[in-house]
Amino acid sequence: MLDPYEIRKDFPILSTGVIYLDNAATSQKPRQVIEAVARFYESVNANIHRGIHRLSREATEAYEEAHEVVARFINARSWREVVFVRNATEAINLVAYSWALRNLREGDEVVITVMEHHSNMLPWVAVARMRGARVKVVGLKRDYTLDYEELERALSERTRIVAVTQASNVLGTIVDARRVARLAHEVGAICLVDGAQSVPHMPVDVRALECDFLAFSGHKMLGPTGIGVLWGREELLEGMEPFLYGGDMIREVRYRGGAIEASWNELPWKFEAGTPNIAGGVGLAEAVRYLQRVGMEEVRRHEEGLVRYALKRLSELEGVELYGPPPELRCGIVPFNVEGLDPHAVAALLDQRGIAVRSGFHCAQPLHEYLGLTEGTVRASFYLYNVKEEVDALAEALEGIAAIAAQAAGQRAL
């Protein structure tokens, strides 16, 4: 079983005493990842696919192996289906501009949900506007879960792509992505899954999901910033034009008869133009190895227990309002508000007590407006190194903050 107290010893930043509950924004990095990146720069650093000298060969091997490690982690059919990008945002934009922009026609439809992060919303709005297509938004049920019946009604023969988060970065709501993918395929559409909040926190198998694309970021799963992943079905990636053009993404470039002719490299390099984040890929592979040693089922079990405990503790506090589905239907995210206080004020007061949380709209303003939370929320988000004592500290701090807010409100009423 996962022992968070032992795991915490691997994370240098946690020894500073900070209570870090902002994992949905980015995760902390274990010593193993930090050292892997340092080793690369200290002993292997060179560009890939460009030299026959030893360092270039070793760098190339490490970077290509990183693709293989990630492919096994998500059960891809081939590492050729794994494209390294900067983050999940770039991965989604790659699909929007390399697939959707070339396949959408006037009158076509893209279906998303109101839970989507701006990164899985705005690219579709942009390409739909360019092509004369329409974006349809599916809502939630009263229990904060996706309204699958509304989703079915939204789909039609005009639907070309369904883009959905597997886990909401605000509510933590877990979506049945396989069910969504099957519904999309029934009408001839493709399905993209935003896995930014799911891949780091639960087992994710792209074959079992039956989706066509999966996007996620390394920095949310113990890896470095600046490295992310787009997984796509090989036949779809083969048929897509590159998103960026330049070095390494070409097979050859010729100057013939006064014209430039070019052909593209094989997968995944066709979509990895220029010098990539090689050290980031190495660090991401080490992060994946770390998570595999722990076990993703154990990560999920641990987080569900923490969420269950947090909901119990925070629900006992007067003046604290909680949002989201039951623990078994959400990942390690607990959004809340304190009556009478702006979310940013609450986050600032928690920061004074050494507790790091996120406040505001969390890059999902439409969802907050849909729920009537026009000032945003405070979000506590957990990971494998968080412990119940940190939940207790959060609850105790919020109890004091809520009491101060209630006292201030009473004085204003006099």
Side-chain angles (χ1 to χ4, degrees):
M1 292 180 63
L2 183 156
D3 185 345
Y5 301 98
E6 283 298 314
I7 285 175
R8 291 175 67 85
K9 297 175 183 178
D10 290 333
F11 292 80
I13 202 168
L14 299 182
S15 65
T16 65
V18 64
I19 296 176
Y20 188 76
L21 304 180
D22 194 20
N23 295 284
T26 195
S27 66
Q28 296 304 332
K29 321 305 174 191
R31 186 174 287 104
Q32 292 87 337
V33 169
I34 297 169
E35 291 175 351
V37 173
R39 277 196 309 273
F40 173 82
Y41 281 124
E42 289 172 352
S43 60
V44 183
N45 183 48
N47 216 326
I48 62 167
H49 299 158
R50 287 166 171 82
I52 61 172
H53 58 81
R54 177 183 61 83
L55 289 179
S56 181
R57 295 197 309 271
E58 291 182 359
T60 297
E61 290 170 4
Y63 188 66
E64 292 186 353
E65 181 185 358
H67 287 71
E68 295 174 354
V69 169
V70 172
R72 290 193 294 270
F73 185 61
I74 59 174
N75 197 29
R77 293 173 181 83
S78 166
W79 68 274
R80 286 165 49 84
E81 297 180 323
V82 173
V83 179
F84 282 178
V85 289
R86 289 182 301 163
N87 42 48
T89 298
E90 184 175 315
I92 295 168
N93 273 270
L94 193 161
V95 177
Y97 286 94
S98 288
W99 190 90
L101 189 60
R102 290 171 171 81
N103 286 278
L104 287 178
R105 300 291 181 265
E106 186 172 355
D108 285 348
E109 295 175 347
V110 178
V111 176
I112 63 174
T113 82
V114 74
M115 286 189 290
E116 303 310 313
H117 189 283
H118 295 161
S119 296
N120 199 28
M121 184 175 285
L122 300 182
W124 310 117
V125 171
V127 296
R129 185 181 297 121
M130 293 177 194
R131 303 303 294 167
R134 176 189 178 196
V135 175
K136 299 174 75 172
V137 183
V138 176
L140 308 179
K141 295 193 290 188
R142 290 184 178 181
D143 63 356
Y144 299 99
T145 60
L146 180 63
D147 191 331
Y148 295 97
E149 288 72 28
E150 183 180 339
L151 172 63
E152 290 191 53
R153 293 193 298 271
L155 299 175
S156 72
E157 69 279 357
R158 293 182 177 179
T159 308
R160 292 294 174 265
I161 187 164
V162 179
V164 61
T165 183
Q166 192 177 9
S168 167
N169 75 309
V170 175
L171 298 169
T173 301
I174 295 173
V175 172
D176 186 345
R178 179 166 62 178
R179 179 178 179 182
V180 174
R182 287 179 172 178
L183 289 172
H185 294 159
E186 285 177 6
V187 296
I190 66 168
C191 178
L192 177 142
V193 174
D194 176 0
Q197 298 295 339
S198 60
V199 174
H201 301 283
M202 63 187 71
V204 174
D205 180 330
V206 291
R207 293 193 232 184
L209 286 182
E210 300 180 18
C211 60
D212 301 288
F213 295 102
L214 174 73
F216 57 99
S217 292
H219 72 96
K220 297 181 189 293
M221 51 186 292
L222 310 182
T225 56
I227 189 75
V229 177
L230 171 67
W231 169 84
R233 287 198 290 114
E234 188 169 342
E235 58 269 30
L236 287 175
L237 293 174
E238 288 283 13
M240 291 161 53
E241 286 294 303
F243 178 44
L244 299 172
Y245 297 81
D248 204 30
M249 53 74 62
I250 54 92
R251 176 173 287 110
E252 62 177 8
V253 180
R254 296 289 184 89
Y255 179 57
R256 291 173 173 167
I260 301 296
E261 299 176 357
S263 59
W264 314 133
N265 206 342
E266 63 184 10
L267 293 174
W269 319 125
K270 181 173 78 169
F271 295 106
E272 296 191 24
T275 298
N277 184 357
I278 308 168
V282 170
L284 174 58
E286 193 61 39
V288 167
R289 293 185 186 101
Y290 189 100
L291 289 171
Q292 287 176 319
R293 287 193 296 270
V294 174
M296 294 308 299
E297 291 283 0
E298 287 298 306
V299 174
R300 171 66 185 140
R301 180 197 60 77
H302 175 67
E303 288 185 15
E304 185 178 340
L306 278 179
V307 167
R308 194 177 299 278
Y309 184 68
L311 292 176
K312 177 179 181 300
R313 291 285 279 114
L314 300 189
S315 66
E316 297 168 350
L317 304 179
E318 290 188 15
V320 175
E321 185 173 4
L322 301 169
Y323 315 100
E328 63 274 13
L329 298 178
R330 73 162 92 190
C331 61
I333 291 175
V334 177
F336 60 89
N337 274 318
V338 175
E339 185 178 348
L341 285 179
D342 174 90
H344 296 305
V346 175
L349 290 167
L350 288 172
D351 183 53
Q352 292 175 8
R353 293 160 171 80
I355 302 174
V357 296
R358 176 81 177 267
S359 57
F361 294 121
H362 320 305
C363 296
Q365 188 170 353
L367 174 59
H368 282 85
E369 293 178 347
Y370 177 85
L371 297 173
L373 303 171
T374 55
E375 298 300 317
T377 54
V378 186
R379 182 185 68 190
S381 50
F382 307 104
Y383 209 7
L384 71 170
Y385 41 66
N386 290 121
V387 294
K388 286 185 175 181
E389 289 84 348
E390 293 177 312
V391 175
D392 291 333
L394 173 66
E396 290 165 9
L398 286 176
E399 185 175 24
I401 291 169
I404 293 171
Q407 184 180 18
Q411 292 175 346
R412 288 193 298 270
L414 294 177

